[in-house]
Amino acid sequence: MTDEIVLEVEHLQTGYGDLKVVRDVSLTVRAGGITVLLGRNGAGKTTTLRAITGLNRTTGGDVRYLGEPLGDVPPHRRVGRGMSYVQEGKRVFHELTIEQNLLLGGLSTGKRKRALAGSVQEIYELFPILGDKRSLPAASMSGGQQQMLAIGQALMAKPKLLILDEPSQGLAPVIVKEVMERVHALKATGIGILLVEQAVQDSVAIADDVSVIEMGRTVLAGAADSVTLDDLQRAYFGGT
Ligand code: ATP
């Protein structure tokens, strides 16, 4: 991890119409670092991600990306500036092969075939299982492998910030660990990763920074190695 800040969210407020969901959320993502955003169901994690990616309007606070405030920059321009968002429950194209799915992920970049082929090779190095199965339909892969493919697709755009919403959703515990290990390995590429998770221990284990939100407010934030399980329990369930 470096000191270079990719994303800085300060006192974010957002919601749906008149409904205020996120009231005061702050977090930081550094280049080559993983920030994990935790919180109970309905705490406002996905809504926070939607504001960062421009899908929801920010009604208060700041989102700064690569040193610049994003204001009302629309979602597609944020993508163009290197933000990739893998939404919760993201599905891949089952009938297409793994390689075709990856190539589709690179379409928006406007790159030529040869450059895309190079990017695909890089994804195979990060996720060898995708390389092994490149010619098979995506439907033939397990849930964990399909999640890796969805992440691989997002990486085809060569993002500077990768936002992952619950990649472990619906996966068996042993597969969750495998997906987390792969996400951890992405740090070496130098990108910043913002990870929303329900798998608390597995995600904190790979995180550099942790932020916990409760009812739309940040209630705990800090370096992952300074946050104890007790701190997390208190942040989740209240009390002192
Ligand atoms: P989960 O872990 O269940 O995904 P979360 O922390 O990501 O939870 P959000 O999905 O951000 O929580 O939801 C926060 C609140 O916003 C919830 O009360 C939810 O009902 C509400 N909400 C979410 N999406 C919408 C929407 N499209 N319109 C209105 N309210 C919404």
Side-chain angles (χ1 to χ4, degrees):
M1 190 176 63
T2 69
D3 286 338
E4 186 198 337
I5 292 176
V6 179
L7 179 75
E8 193 155 36
V9 175
E10 283 186 316
H11 307 298
L12 177 71
Q13 294 178 16
T14 185
Y16 302 91
D18 289 339
L19 180 68
K20 288 192 170 117
V21 170
V22 171
R23 292 153 190 277
D24 186 3
V25 168
S26 299
L27 58 89
T28 302
V29 182
R30 290 167 216 282
I34 298 176
T35 298
V36 64
L37 178 60
L38 303 167
R40 287 193 272 181
N41 286 341
K45 303 179 296 296
T46 298
T47 308
T48 298
L49 299 188
R50 290 179 60 87
I52 292 169
T53 53
L55 295 169
N56 275 35
R57 206 165 68 84
T58 296
T59 51
D62 269 329
V63 178
R64 294 177 72 81
Y65 174 63
L66 302 175
E68 288 184 21
L70 283 176
D72 290 330
V73 172
H76 68 278
R77 289 209 194 286
R78 297 183 195 212
V79 173
R81 290 191 199 174
M83 238 188 220
S84 270
Y85 179 25
V86 183
Q87 298 197 32
E88 192 175 358
K90 162 90 168 83
R91 295 198 183 277
V92 294
F93 294 98
H94 279 179
E95 65 282 12
L96 299 183
T97 65
I98 280 97
E99 188 144 315
Q100 286 167 335
N101 267 283
L102 288 177
L103 288 169
L104 267 183
L107 267 190
S108 65
T109 60
K111 279 191 196 142
R112 287 173 190 275
K113 226 173 154 187
R114 186 182 293 183
L116 286 180
S119 302
V120 168
Q121 286 309 319
E122 286 172 28
I123 306 294
Y124 292 157
E125 277 161 34
L126 289 165
F127 301 101
I129 188 72
L130 300 183
D132 295 346
K133 298 195 167 191
R134 66 186 76 185
S135 307
L136 297 177
S140 66
M141 295 199 301
S142 69
Q145 291 165 354
Q146 289 189 25
Q147 194 51 246
M148 289 180 208
L149 178 56
I151 297 171
Q153 256 184 344
L155 290 172
M156 285 293 290
K158 298 244 167 82
K160 295 187 173 71
L161 174 66
L162 178 66
I163 301 174
L164 303 175
D165 196 353
E166 287 194 44
S168 75
Q169 197 190 47
L171 303 179
V174 57
I175 310 296
V176 173
K177 282 196 195 320
E178 203 181 319
V179 171
M180 291 300 141
E181 271 170 28
R182 290 290 102 205
V183 172
H184 187 240
L186 296 179
K187 275 167 59 111
T189 65
I191 63 174
I193 299 170
L194 176 57
L195 173 66
V196 160
E197 261 305 334
Q198 293 286 351
V200 177
Q201 273 174 294
D202 289 329
S203 60
V204 171
I206 63 162
D208 297 287
D209 290 282
V210 175
S211 180
V212 183
I213 61 175
E214 179 57 26
M215 292 177 75
R217 293 178 197 278
T218 302
V219 289
L220 174 70
D225 54 12
S226 70
V227 172
T228 66
L229 212 53
D230 272 358
D231 294 334
L232 287 171
Q233 261 165 0
R234 269 197 297 274
Y236 262 71
F237 301 113
T240 50

